[in-house]
Amino acid sequence: MPELPEVETTLRGIEPHLAGRKIVGVVVRQAQLRWPIPDDLSAQLAGREILACFRRAKYLLFALPNGHLLIHLGMSGSLRLTSESDPGRHDHVDIVLDSGKILRYHDPRRFGAVLWLDGPVSEHRLFAHLGPEPLLEDFDERRLFVLSRGRKTPVKTFIMDNQVVVGVGNIYANEALFMAGIKPLAMAGGVSRQRYARLTLAIKQVLEKAIAEGGTTLKDFVGGDGKPGYFQQQLNVYGRTGEACVKCDGVLKEVKIAGRSSVFCARCQR
DNA sequence: ACGCGGCCCTGGATGC
DNA sequence: TGCATCCAGGGCCGCG
């Protein structure tokens, strides 16, 4: 379910309840996620204090004295704090805190991950090749321009490449390209530096706005505090195939690019 | 090196 | 109502 704004919303919702708390127990009901949950997870976590919570790309990381707990929400995952001891269907993992609250991982499709990292996060294989965070200054149009030269891949696929920039998922790739007036199928290597400047700004703006709104409401997305996000109503193209373009009133088209739905206005995006 | 398609999995929507 | 088919927010991996 989650794109970067949903992950960030989740982090902000749960962080105040986790930092400084001690983990008193771990319950794994289903270990078969994208990768198996390691057997020693409980031994690594139990009795340890959560020193800090942070995010890198769409990975949530929880710093403990002896390493990091990593959680990825995949396509359908969510994390919430609860006081109810009875788990529901697809509630795969509980992390029980000394406050009496439970951090509960729920993931119907099980594309997510719960892992234990021993060493430095940045050296882990999942992190070693990640591009910059889209909301930080080291993500700029120069990077998009330079890395795209000679690339024939569609610009939409290019900005969804985690080695180029992290955290741009399908929804916001569509939205950012619409905002920037760039056709998703345009060859990445043929997009001008000036247009990459527009696209860079659009990516930052669409993500910042979504975070400010508390994440997109998709299916049953809820933040860590259980409140739904409210961004869905503000999507200009994603999920609006066949409807009218908000800028020119033309009919929005849909194509598949690398297997992902891509919605655009053929008149506004070139 | 690059670009693409497959695949991991469940469930909701759609259609016959 | 029931069953089959398709589709979904991610991202690693292997193939050509």
mmCIF file of all heavy atoms in Angstrom, chain A residues 190-222:
data_model
loop_
_atom_site.group_PDB
_atom_site.id
_atom_site.type_symbol
_atom_site.label_atom_id
_atom_site.label_comp_id
_atom_site.label_asym_id
_atom_site.label_seq_id
_atom_site.Cartn_x
_atom_site.Cartn_y
_atom_site.Cartn_z
ATOM 1 N N GLY A 190 16.446 11.830 -23.560
ATOM 2 C CA GLY A 190 16.108 12.942 -24.446
ATOM 3 C C GLY A 190 15.446 14.112 -23.737
ATOM 4 O O GLY A 190 15.112 15.119 -24.372
ATOM 5 N N VAL A 191 15.268 13.992 -22.433
ATOM 6 C CA VAL A 191 14.619 15.070 -21.678
ATOM 7 C C VAL A 191 15.668 16.140 -21.339
ATOM 8 O O VAL A 191 16.764 15.819 -20.875
ATOM 9 C CB VAL A 191 13.971 14.506 -20.395
ATOM 10 C CG1 VAL A 191 13.418 15.629 -19.516
ATOM 11 C CG2 VAL A 191 12.863 13.506 -20.760
ATOM 12 N N SER A 192 15.320 17.397 -21.599
ATOM 13 C CA SER A 192 16.284 18.484 -21.393
ATOM 14 C C SER A 192 16.536 18.749 -19.911
ATOM 15 O O SER A 192 15.738 18.385 -19.058
ATOM 16 C CB SER A 192 15.759 19.772 -22.029
ATOM 17 O OG SER A 192 14.652 20.251 -21.277
ATOM 18 N N ARG A 193 17.650 19.414 -19.669
ATOM 19 C CA ARG A 193 17.982 19.776 -18.285
ATOM 20 C C ARG A 193 16.923 20.682 -17.680
ATOM 21 O O ARG A 193 16.557 20.549 -16.517
ATOM 22 C CB ARG A 193 19.349 20.464 -18.267
ATOM 23 C CG ARG A 193 19.740 20.842 -16.863
ATOM 24 C CD ARG A 193 21.219 21.072 -16.728
ATOM 25 N NE ARG A 193 21.523 21.408 -15.341
ATOM 26 C CZ ARG A 193 22.679 21.191 -14.755
ATOM 27 N NH1 ARG A 193 23.653 20.618 -15.438
ATOM 28 N NH2 ARG A 193 22.874 21.537 -13.517
ATOM 29 N N GLN A 194 16.410 21.574 -18.490
ATOM 30 C CA GLN A 194 15.374 22.484 -18.008
ATOM 31 C C GLN A 194 14.120 21.725 -17.577
ATOM 32 O O GLN A 194 13.509 22.025 -16.554
ATOM 33 C CB GLN A 194 15.030 23.477 -19.116
ATOM 34 C CG GLN A 194 14.156 24.631 -18.654
ATOM 35 C CD GLN A 194 14.027 25.704 -19.718
ATOM 36 O OE1 GLN A 194 14.119 25.416 -20.918
ATOM 37 N NE2 GLN A 194 13.804 26.931 -19.298
ATOM 38 N N ARG A 195 13.777 20.706 -18.358
ATOM 39 C CA ARG A 195 12.576 19.944 -18.023
ATOM 40 C C ARG A 195 12.833 19.054 -16.810
ATOM 41 O O ARG A 195 11.927 18.809 -16.018
ATOM 42 C CB ARG A 195 12.128 19.118 -19.229
ATOM 43 C CG ARG A 195 11.927 20.009 -20.464
ATOM 44 C CD ARG A 195 11.235 19.272 -21.584
ATOM 45 N NE ARG A 195 9.807 19.235 -21.348
ATOM 46 C CZ ARG A 195 9.022 18.230 -21.737
ATOM 47 N NH1 ARG A 195 9.537 17.198 -22.364
ATOM 48 N NH2 ARG A 195 7.739 18.279 -21.494
ATOM 49 N N TYR A 196 14.076 18.590 -16.638
ATOM 50 C CA TYR A 196 14.395 17.843 -15.416
ATOM 51 C C TYR A 196 14.328 18.750 -14.188
ATOM 52 O O TYR A 196 14.019 18.296 -13.086
ATOM 53 C CB TYR A 196 15.764 17.165 -15.536
ATOM 54 C CG TYR A 196 15.672 15.794 -16.164
ATOM 55 C CD1 TYR A 196 16.447 15.453 -17.265
ATOM 56 C CD2 TYR A 196 14.790 14.835 -15.647
ATOM 57 C CE1 TYR A 196 16.356 14.194 -17.845
ATOM 58 C CE2 TYR A 196 14.689 13.584 -16.226
ATOM 59 C CZ TYR A 196 15.472 13.264 -17.322
ATOM 60 O OH TYR A 196 15.363 12.029 -17.888
ATOM 61 N N ALA A 197 14.599 20.028 -14.383
ATOM 62 C CA ALA A 197 14.459 20.958 -13.257
ATOM 63 C C ALA A 197 12.994 21.031 -12.823
ATOM 64 O O ALA A 197 12.668 21.002 -11.628
ATOM 65 C CB ALA A 197 14.979 22.339 -13.654
ATOM 66 N N ARG A 198 12.114 21.088 -13.805
ATOM 67 C CA ARG A 198 10.672 21.096 -13.490
ATOM 68 C C ARG A 198 10.252 19.804 -12.813
ATOM 69 O O ARG A 198 9.464 19.799 -11.869
ATOM 70 C CB ARG A 198 9.847 21.273 -14.775
ATOM 71 C CG ARG A 198 9.884 22.656 -15.372
ATOM 72 C CD ARG A 198 9.180 22.659 -16.738
ATOM 73 N NE ARG A 198 7.783 22.229 -16.652
ATOM 74 C CZ ARG A 198 6.771 23.051 -16.412
ATOM 75 N NH1 ARG A 198 7.008 24.337 -16.227
ATOM 76 N NH2 ARG A 198 5.534 22.604 -16.340
ATOM 77 N N LEU A 199 10.791 18.693 -13.330
ATOM 78 C CA LEU A 199 10.402 17.388 -12.790
ATOM 79 C C LEU A 199 10.915 17.207 -11.352
ATOM 80 O O LEU A 199 10.200 16.683 -10.492
ATOM 81 C CB LEU A 199 10.942 16.276 -13.698
ATOM 82 C CG LEU A 199 10.578 14.846 -13.309
ATOM 83 C CD1 LEU A 199 9.065 14.662 -13.192
ATOM 84 C CD2 LEU A 199 11.143 13.851 -14.339
ATOM 85 N N THR A 200 12.131 17.639 -11.117
ATOM 86 C CA THR A 200 12.698 17.549 -9.771
ATOM 87 C C THR A 200 11.821 18.300 -8.772
ATOM 88 O O THR A 200 11.467 17.791 -7.700
ATOM 89 C CB THR A 200 14.112 18.150 -9.750
ATOM 90 O OG1 THR A 200 14.907 17.480 -10.729
ATOM 91 C CG2 THR A 200 14.759 17.992 -8.385
ATOM 92 N N LEU A 201 11.458 19.502 -9.159
ATOM 93 C CA LEU A 201 10.601 20.320 -8.293
ATOM 94 C C LEU A 201 9.251 19.643 -8.079
ATOM 95 O O LEU A 201 8.711 19.610 -6.965
ATOM 96 C CB LEU A 201 10.420 21.703 -8.940
ATOM 97 C CG LEU A 201 9.814 22.783 -8.060
ATOM 98 C CD1 LEU A 201 10.712 23.036 -6.856
ATOM 99 C CD2 LEU A 201 9.620 24.071 -8.861
ATOM 100 N N ALA A 202 8.698 19.078 -9.156
ATOM 101 C CA ALA A 202 7.383 18.423 -9.063
ATOM 102 C C ALA A 202 7.436 17.220 -8.124
ATOM 103 O O ALA A 202 6.529 17.011 -7.310
ATOM 104 C CB ALA A 202 6.922 17.991 -10.459
ATOM 105 N N ILE A 203 8.503 16.430 -8.215
ATOM 106 C CA ILE A 203 8.643 15.263 -7.329
ATOM 107 C C ILE A 203 8.681 15.716 -5.877
ATOM 108 O O ILE A 203 7.984 15.180 -5.011
ATOM 109 C CB ILE A 203 9.918 14.464 -7.687
ATOM 110 C CG1 ILE A 203 9.729 13.745 -9.025
ATOM 111 C CG2 ILE A 203 10.264 13.460 -6.581
ATOM 112 C CD1 ILE A 203 11.013 13.145 -9.607
ATOM 113 N N LYS A 204 9.481 16.733 -5.608
ATOM 114 C CA LYS A 204 9.584 17.229 -4.232
ATOM 115 C C LYS A 204 8.232 17.764 -3.750
ATOM 116 O O LYS A 204 7.808 17.499 -2.619
ATOM 117 C CB LYS A 204 10.652 18.322 -4.141
ATOM 118 C CG LYS A 204 12.078 17.795 -4.297
ATOM 119 C CD LYS A 204 13.082 18.938 -4.336
ATOM 120 C CE LYS A 204 14.499 18.454 -4.634
ATOM 121 N NZ LYS A 204 15.200 17.874 -3.474
ATOM 122 N N GLN A 205 7.570 18.511 -4.617
ATOM 123 C CA GLN A 205 6.302 19.138 -4.195
ATOM 124 C C GLN A 205 5.205 18.117 -3.964
ATOM 125 O O GLN A 205 4.461 18.202 -2.994
ATOM 126 C CB GLN A 205 5.855 20.166 -5.240
ATOM 127 C CG GLN A 205 6.678 21.444 -5.174
ATOM 128 C CD GLN A 205 6.244 22.480 -6.198
ATOM 129 O OE1 GLN A 205 5.489 22.181 -7.127
ATOM 130 N NE2 GLN A 205 6.723 23.692 -6.033
ATOM 131 N N VAL A 206 5.107 17.136 -4.853
ATOM 132 C CA VAL A 206 4.010 16.178 -4.716
ATOM 133 C C VAL A 206 4.218 15.306 -3.477
ATOM 134 O O VAL A 206 3.267 14.992 -2.757
ATOM 135 C CB VAL A 206 3.830 15.362 -6.022
ATOM 136 C CG1 VAL A 206 4.903 14.316 -6.177
ATOM 137 C CG2 VAL A 206 2.453 14.719 -6.061
ATOM 138 N N LEU A 207 5.474 14.957 -3.200
ATOM 139 C CA LEU A 207 5.745 14.149 -2.012
ATOM 140 C C LEU A 207 5.541 14.957 -0.731
ATOM 141 O O LEU A 207 4.951 14.474 0.239
ATOM 142 C CB LEU A 207 7.167 13.582 -2.063
ATOM 143 C CG LEU A 207 7.430 12.525 -3.140
ATOM 144 C CD1 LEU A 207 8.901 12.145 -3.159
ATOM 145 C CD2 LEU A 207 6.563 11.289 -2.925
ATOM 146 N N GLU A 208 6.027 16.197 -0.745
ATOM 147 C CA GLU A 208 5.868 17.036 0.455
ATOM 148 C C GLU A 208 4.405 17.294 0.754
ATOM 149 O O GLU A 208 3.976 17.266 1.905
ATOM 150 C CB GLU A 208 6.611 18.366 0.262
ATOM 151 C CG GLU A 208 8.085 18.242 0.590
ATOM 152 C CD GLU A 208 8.908 19.441 0.119
ATOM 153 O OE1 GLU A 208 8.327 20.412 -0.416
ATOM 154 O OE2 GLU A 208 10.140 19.379 0.286
ATOM 155 N N LYS A 209 3.644 17.523 -0.286
ATOM 156 C CA LYS A 209 2.220 17.787 -0.082
ATOM 157 C C LYS A 209 1.519 16.550 0.480
ATOM 158 O O LYS A 209 0.694 16.638 1.390
ATOM 159 C CB LYS A 209 1.573 18.222 -1.395
ATOM 160 C CG LYS A 209 0.137 18.641 -1.210
ATOM 161 C CD LYS A 209 -0.412 19.308 -2.458
ATOM 162 C CE LYS A 209 -1.861 19.754 -2.185
ATOM 163 N NZ LYS A 209 -2.651 19.804 -3.409
ATOM 164 N N ALA A 210 1.872 15.399 -0.092
ATOM 165 C CA ALA A 210 1.241 14.153 0.376
ATOM 166 C C ALA A 210 1.594 13.878 1.837
ATOM 167 O O ALA A 210 0.748 13.428 2.610
ATOM 168 C CB ALA A 210 1.666 12.990 -0.510
ATOM 169 N N ILE A 211 2.835 14.143 2.204
ATOM 170 C CA ILE A 211 3.232 13.937 3.600
ATOM 171 C C ILE A 211 2.466 14.904 4.503
ATOM 172 O O ILE A 211 1.954 14.519 5.556
ATOM 173 C CB ILE A 211 4.752 14.117 3.764
ATOM 174 C CG1 ILE A 211 5.485 12.961 3.090
ATOM 175 C CG2 ILE A 211 5.124 14.200 5.241
ATOM 176 C CD1 ILE A 211 6.984 13.168 2.965
ATOM 177 N N ALA A 212 2.373 16.149 4.060
ATOM 178 C CA ALA A 212 1.654 17.148 4.859
ATOM 179 C C ALA A 212 0.195 16.753 5.059
ATOM 180 O O ALA A 212 -0.413 17.050 6.085
ATOM 181 C CB ALA A 212 1.746 18.521 4.183
ATOM 182 N N GLU A 213 -0.343 16.054 4.066
ATOM 183 C CA GLU A 213 -1.751 15.636 4.145
ATOM 184 C C GLU A 213 -1.914 14.313 4.894
ATOM 185 O O GLU A 213 -3.028 13.825 5.045
ATOM 186 C CB GLU A 213 -2.335 15.482 2.746
ATOM 187 C CG GLU A 213 -2.327 16.743 1.909
ATOM 188 C CD GLU A 213 -3.345 17.763 2.390
ATOM 189 O OE1 GLU A 213 -4.336 17.350 3.015
ATOM 190 O OE2 GLU A 213 -3.134 18.958 2.140
ATOM 191 N N GLY A 214 -0.812 13.685 5.245
ATOM 192 C CA GLY A 214 -0.902 12.449 6.010
ATOM 193 C C GLY A 214 -0.952 11.190 5.178
ATOM 194 O O GLY A 214 -1.413 10.147 5.627
ATOM 195 N N GLY A 215 -0.451 11.267 3.947
ATOM 196 C CA GLY A 215 -0.380 10.053 3.116
ATOM 197 C C GLY A 215 -1.654 9.816 2.328
ATOM 198 O O GLY A 215 -2.718 10.325 2.651
ATOM 199 N N THR A 216 -1.514 9.047 1.291
ATOM 200 C CA THR A 216 -2.658 8.753 0.417
ATOM 201 C C THR A 216 -3.582 7.736 1.067
ATOM 202 O O THR A 216 -3.137 6.766 1.638
ATOM 203 C CB THR A 216 -2.149 8.170 -0.909
ATOM 204 O OG1 THR A 216 -1.378 9.144 -1.561
ATOM 205 C CG2 THR A 216 -3.293 7.767 -1.800
ATOM 206 N N THR A 217 -4.847 7.946 0.940
ATOM 207 C CA THR A 217 -5.793 6.924 1.354
ATOM 208 C C THR A 217 -5.958 5.938 0.215
ATOM 209 O O THR A 217 -6.525 6.259 -0.804
ATOM 210 C CB THR A 217 -7.169 7.527 1.666
ATOM 211 O OG1 THR A 217 -7.030 8.443 2.722
ATOM 212 C CG2 THR A 217 -8.132 6.446 2.079
ATOM 213 N N LEU A 218 -5.415 4.748 0.387
ATOM 214 C CA LEU A 218 -5.600 3.730 -0.624
ATOM 215 C C LEU A 218 -6.083 2.500 0.085
ATOM 216 O O LEU A 218 -5.491 2.090 1.069
ATOM 217 C CB LEU A 218 -4.286 3.435 -1.323
ATOM 218 C CG LEU A 218 -4.019 4.342 -2.503
ATOM 219 C CD1 LEU A 218 -2.576 4.299 -2.895
ATOM 220 C CD2 LEU A 218 -4.900 3.964 -3.664
ATOM 221 N N LYS A 219 -7.138 1.940 -0.406
ATOM 222 C CA LYS A 219 -7.710 0.798 0.279
ATOM 223 C C LYS A 219 -7.844 1.149 1.757
ATOM 224 O O LYS A 219 -8.474 2.123 2.103
ATOM 225 C CB LYS A 219 -6.840 -0.440 0.070
ATOM 226 C CG LYS A 219 -6.616 -0.789 -1.396
ATOM 227 C CD LYS A 219 -7.864 -1.414 -2.001
ATOM 228 C CE LYS A 219 -7.581 -2.052 -3.341
ATOM 229 N NZ LYS A 219 -7.413 -1.169 -4.429
ATOM 230 N N ASP A 220 -7.141 0.392 2.588
ATOM 231 C CA ASP A 220 -7.351 0.578 4.022
ATOM 232 C C ASP A 220 -6.161 1.233 4.708
ATOM 233 O O ASP A 220 -5.900 0.977 5.858
ATOM 234 C CB ASP A 220 -7.641 -0.771 4.663
ATOM 235 C CG ASP A 220 -6.520 -1.768 4.394
ATOM 236 O OD1 ASP A 220 -5.651 -1.443 3.581
ATOM 237 O OD2 ASP A 220 -6.538 -2.850 4.990
ATOM 238 N N PHE A 221 -5.446 2.096 3.978
ATOM 239 C CA PHE A 221 -4.266 2.689 4.619
ATOM 240 C C PHE A 221 -4.635 3.488 5.861
ATOM 241 O O PHE A 221 -5.519 4.318 5.843
ATOM 242 C CB PHE A 221 -3.491 3.601 3.665
ATOM 243 C CG PHE A 221 -2.358 4.305 4.366
ATOM 244 C CD1 PHE A 221 -1.214 3.605 4.702
ATOM 245 C CD2 PHE A 221 -2.474 5.620 4.755
ATOM 246 C CE1 PHE A 221 -0.186 4.225 5.391
ATOM 247 C CE2 PHE A 221 -1.441 6.257 5.448
ATOM 248 C CZ PHE A 221 -0.303 5.541 5.756
ATOM 249 N N VAL A 222 -3.923 3.205 6.930
ATOM 250 C CA VAL A 222 -4.033 4.035 8.127
ATOM 251 C C VAL A 222 -2.630 4.306 8.634
ATOM 252 O O VAL A 222 -1.736 3.487 8.487
ATOM 253 C CB VAL A 222 -4.841 3.358 9.253
ATOM 254 C CG1 VAL A 222 -6.304 3.285 8.882
ATOM 255 C CG2 VAL A 222 -4.300 1.980 9.573
#
